[in-house]
Amino acid sequence: MSVEPAPAHEVAADPSAAPVKNDFIRQIVREDVASGKHAAIRTRFPPEPNGYLHIGHAKAICLDFGIAGEFGGRCNLRFDDTNPAKEDPEYVEAIQEDVRWLGFDWAELRHASDYFDVFYLAAQKLIRQGDAFVCDLSAEEVRAYRGNLTEPGRNSPYRDRSVEENLDLFARMRAGEFADGARTLRAKIDMASGNINLRDPALYRIKKVAHQNTGDAWPIYPMYDFAHSLSDSCEGITHSLCTLEFEDHRPLYDWCVAKVDLPNSPELLAPLLAKGYPNEAAIPRQIEFSRANLNYTVMSKRKLMVLVQEKLVDGWDDPRMPTLQGIRRRGYTPASLRLWAERLGVSKQNSVIDYSVLEGCLREDLDAAAARRMAVIDPLKLVITNLDDAHEESLHFANHPKDERFGARQIPFSNQLWIEREDFEEVPPKGYKRLIPGGEVRLRGAGILRCDEVIKDEAGQIVELRGTLDPESRPGMAGADRKIKGTIHWVSARHAVAAEVRLYDRLFDVAAPDDDSDGKTYQDHLNPNSRTTTTGYVEPSAAQAAPETAFQFERVGYFVADRYDHSAERPVFNRSVTLRDTWAAKA
């Protein structure tokens, strides 16, 4: 009886069973818990809904949700939807799907737009305190006034407007009276600060664009630093984890949190409470960690968008893309990505991770979690001449050599087989251990075969092999003990199912495609061999598998039934990863 295994990602171990992790962020959290600073830990994962998540986000997701889970806390999923011109509900849906696919769920689904009324009241408070002003400088003029790393900036000529004038102008900005870009609300901090982020940064800009959640209600939108810090404060986030590029923004984050002081300003939270949200306001702490940089790829949303828009790939879920949708379709599993994130660790040191580390995590997961099947992707006909044309039987095979829980299956066997073309050499190289003219090889689970004849077409190409099977050499028989150097796999030509096989490789052919020092762009480094498609043959039980079922095709590699295109009638398999690192020798 055939026992069909679950897809690999369902067999994977529960991430909560992982050993205790130690890193500088978890140490901070432990100390905060031990000291009683926080009764409960709260984190958040705050993606912008302006594109698809990529593999770098997987590390952040595992960290944000992982820490909340490890310390009995809660993690929110919060969409930073403050730039409606670039946002789309398609991205929102995909992000939610990605988080759940990785094995996590959120305590609450929030949006920065949930807090727009709070942000507006907070901005008015800053104006009344003398901490913010309406500025009429254009974007170009603001840059000219800002200074640089060696020269201080200059105060805006509008910096000393009265509180009353600023409140009036800001209200008129809110009412939609002014054109896009005509005015901004800026924080009043220090134009001579060594940290350029503190040189009177913008808090609000005029942008008359409809928002996916709030419609046309707002002609002004908060800037990222202002919205992000106050969103964290509204949600009672205890540890706001972000990547190192935000380290220089932390003083501004802290400034916004301290100056607005939501925990002690209940009047600012009134719109939130009126909508039924609880009062959770707190003072969050921002902590930065290094992002996951992977060689042989690019992870800029802008560059990935270009690849999609210029049709250099087949979409955001192209299996060559580093998006979570793409690598999921490629056959990467949640368990392999959680393992990868764990092996990367958490540090303050930026580094580039070798792609082989990611591939190694997938191999490790699938070696344990993927059932075995036989498939031939470059077929060569083999006819066994001492078996009758009507010969047909079923051979018993384990689904996994190391795990009896996977059960077993029957594979049809006949006198006509498909074998891999590379498993035969007419003139073998030194050390070749597979089939040669007059030589013997072990057919996996079927016995020992001798090659007697090579059939070629008019062009001299080998089209068929003919040979003899030793009937006393089946596994378990005395004749099977003969020393044979090579074992090859096969499928029955009469019973195998033709399948489209997509052989995927790295999207770029250089380790640093972003490095333009040679005068080339990342597009010039696209790997022309990143995908090849062939027609192969798979044993019947592989064809019947559900989409997203992972297999090890014996001696060939790890493959997955395509998420969208695969069916029993028209099987489509994507190579997830080779059995070994084929790039090591190229390095």
Side-chain angles (χ1 to χ4, degrees):
M1 177 182 175
S2 174
V3 179
E4 188 64 41
H9 62 269
E10 293 181 9
V11 178
D14 181 350
S16 65
V20 174
K21 301 180 181 75
N22 284 298
D23 54 64
F24 79 96
I25 293 180
R26 287 176 170 85
Q27 188 57 38
I28 290 171
V29 175
R30 282 193 189 94
E31 290 172 358
D32 287 346
V33 171
S35 69
K37 180 178 180 181
H38 300 296
I41 299 302
R42 292 191 178 176
T43 60
R44 82 291 168 267
F45 175 59
E48 298 176 68
N50 60 358
Y52 282 75
L53 298 184
H54 56 62
I55 192 169
H57 294 109
K59 176 180 176 179
I61 292 169
C62 289
L63 185 61
D64 289 325
F65 285 92
I67 283 182
E70 290 163 35
F71 291 91
R74 301 167 60 195
C75 182
N76 289 347
L77 173 61
R78 181 178 73 235
F79 288 102
D80 172 34
D81 54 351
T82 57
N83 190 7
K86 295 184 178 181
E87 296 162 6
D88 195 296
E90 173 188 345
Y91 303 139
V92 171
E93 293 174 12
I95 289 168
Q96 293 182 68
E97 181 181 53
D98 288 340
V99 171
R100 286 196 172 108
W101 173 70
L102 276 175
F104 302 103
D105 206 350
W106 45 89
E108 291 187 48
L109 181 65
R110 297 287 185 95
H111 307 78
S113 56
D114 296 337
Y115 313 127
F116 278 177
D117 290 306
V118 176
F119 299 159
Y120 183 71
L121 294 177
Q124 290 179 315
K125 177 182 179 179
L126 292 178
I127 292 172
R128 286 194 295 270
Q129 292 174 174
D131 291 318
F133 67 99
V134 173
C135 183
D136 297 2
L137 293 179
S138 68
E140 293 76 15
E141 290 169 330
V142 168
R143 280 192 288 272
Y145 272 74
R146 183 175 290 136
N148 54 44
L149 293 174
T150 57
E151 296 180 3
R154 294 175 290 141
N155 286 347
S156 165
Y158 306 100
R159 197 175 196 267
D160 295 325
R161 277 174 162 156
S162 68
V163 168
E164 292 71 25
E165 184 180 6
N166 281 318
L167 286 171
D168 174 65
L169 287 171
F170 189 51
R172 291 161 67 189
M173 286 171 61
R174 167 71 180 90
E177 183 175 328
F178 308 120
D180 282 18
R183 288 185 162 92
T184 56
L185 180 71
R186 295 175 64 184
K188 191 184 292 187
I189 307 180
D190 181 5
M191 289 302 293
S193 173
N195 185 335
I196 292 180
N197 293 299
L198 297 180
R199 294 183 185 178
D200 292 5
L203 302 178
Y204 266 93
R205 81 279 201 198
I206 302 171
K207 202 173 187 72
K208 296 177 180 177
V209 177
H211 190 283
Q212 58 177 330
N213 284 343
T214 60
D216 294 319
W218 293 90
I220 56 173
Y221 290 99
M223 302 300 289
Y224 176 85
D225 287 307
F226 186 61
H228 184 69
S229 57
L230 295 189
S231 294
D232 282 349
S233 185
C234 281
E235 292 174 27
I237 301 305
T238 57
H239 301 83
S240 179
L241 311 180
C242 55
T243 46
L244 279 177
E245 63 263 36
F246 292 100
E247 188 170 28
D248 289 342
H249 292 250
R250 193 196 323 143
L252 177 55
Y253 179 100
D254 292 340
W255 184 93
C256 292
V257 169
K259 290 292 186 179
V260 173
D261 191 20
L262 283 177
N264 296 307
S265 306
E267 71 280 3
L268 305 183
L269 296 169
L272 205 57
L273 303 181
K275 294 177 184 177
Y277 289 97
N279 184 346
E280 302 172 307
I283 303 298
R285 175 181 177 180
Q286 177 175 303
I287 307 172
E288 306 84 20
F289 62 94
S290 62
R291 65 189 304 164
N293 298 305
L294 189 66
N295 64 9
Y296 289 99
T297 192
V298 297
M299 287 195 282
S300 154
K301 279 186 182 178
R302 178 182 59 81
K303 292 178 178 178
L304 294 176
M305 182 80 76
V306 170
L307 292 177
V308 173
Q309 291 175 340
E310 297 192 5
K311 301 189 184 306
L312 297 170
V313 294
D314 293 335
W316 288 101
D317 62 357
D318 187 310
R320 296 167 293 180
M321 288 280 276
T323 57
L324 293 184
Q325 292 282 320
I327 61 174
R328 173 179 179 175
R329 191 171 180 185
R330 173 83 166 260
Y332 275 80
T333 62
S336 68
L337 294 182
R338 292 194 299 263
L339 178 61
W340 181 67
E342 184 178 328
R343 288 193 173 157
L344 294 185
V346 181
S347 75
K348 284 273 193 181
Q349 186 66 42
N350 269 325
S351 60
V352 178
I353 310 304
D354 193 87
Y355 203 94
S356 63
V357 176
L358 175 64
E359 292 180 324
C361 290
L362 182 60
R363 289 190 189 98
E364 187 170 327
D365 178 42
L366 292 182
D367 179 56
R372 274 43 170 179
R373 292 291 184 266
M374 291 207 288
V376 173
I377 62 174
D378 187 11
L380 174 62
K381 177 70 73 69
L382 170 63
V383 177
I384 302 173
T385 57
N386 62 330
L387 294 180
D388 190 86
D389 284 347
H391 182 88
E392 187 173 312
E393 61 178 310
S394 292
L395 302 181
H396 189 78
F397 279 77
N399 282 328
H400 198 292
K402 306 171 189 174
D403 193 338
E404 294 180 352
R405 293 175 299 175
F406 280 77
R409 70 195 187 283
Q410 299 297 120
I411 301 180
F413 180 72
S414 67
N415 76 318
Q416 295 188 28
L417 308 177
W418 294 114
I419 66 169
E420 291 289 352
R421 189 168 292 275
E422 67 175 20
D423 283 340
F424 174 80
E425 286 287 352
E426 193 171 21
V427 182
K430 186 177 180 180
Y432 190 77
K433 295 180 180 180
R434 285 161 282 171
L435 198 57
I436 62 175
E440 290 184 318
V441 74
R442 197 180 300 276
L443 290 180
R444 173 95 162 85
I448 298 170
L449 177 123
R450 183 183 71 243
C451 179
D452 301 320
E453 188 178 0
V454 179
I455 309 297
K456 299 181 180 181
D457 62 15
E458 293 179 355
Q461 297 297 313
I462 299 171
V463 295
E464 185 178 298
L465 304 177
R466 294 180 180 175
T468 308
L469 184 69
D470 180 352
E472 305 299 324
S473 62
R474 282 281 171 87
M477 294 181 174
D481 294 336
R482 278 198 289 128
K483 188 172 183 180
I484 300 295
K485 291 183 178 179
T487 299
I488 65 173
H489 65 283
W490 51 270
V491 291
S492 169
R494 190 175 300 146
H495 304 90
V497 182
E500 180 181 334
V501 181
R502 300 167 181 171
L503 303 175
Y504 289 104
D505 207 335
R506 302 180 189 188
L507 184 56
F508 297 95
D509 58 13
V510 294
D514 272 330
D515 182 0
D516 57 3
S517 59
D518 58 357
K520 295 181 179 180
T521 71
Y522 68 103
Q523 296 182 42
D524 297 316
H525 292 299
L526 287 167
N527 178 8
N529 300 312
S530 61
R531 180 182 61 196
T532 57
T533 303
T534 185
T535 297
Y537 292 93
V538 299
E539 61 172 272
S541 64
Q544 295 294 323
E548 295 202 272
T549 303
F551 293 117
Q552 184 195 102
F553 285 166
E554 295 192 26
R555 302 180 61 245
V556 177
Y558 291 102
F559 289 75
V560 68
D562 187 82
R563 184 181 179 188
Y564 301 114
D565 297 339
H566 173 85
S567 67
E569 297 73 31
R570 185 181 173 276
V572 178
F573 288 95
N574 302 327
R575 183 173 66 190
S576 307
V577 67
T578 55
L579 291 178
R580 296 173 193 82
D581 181 3
T582 57
W583 284 72
K586 303 177 186 178

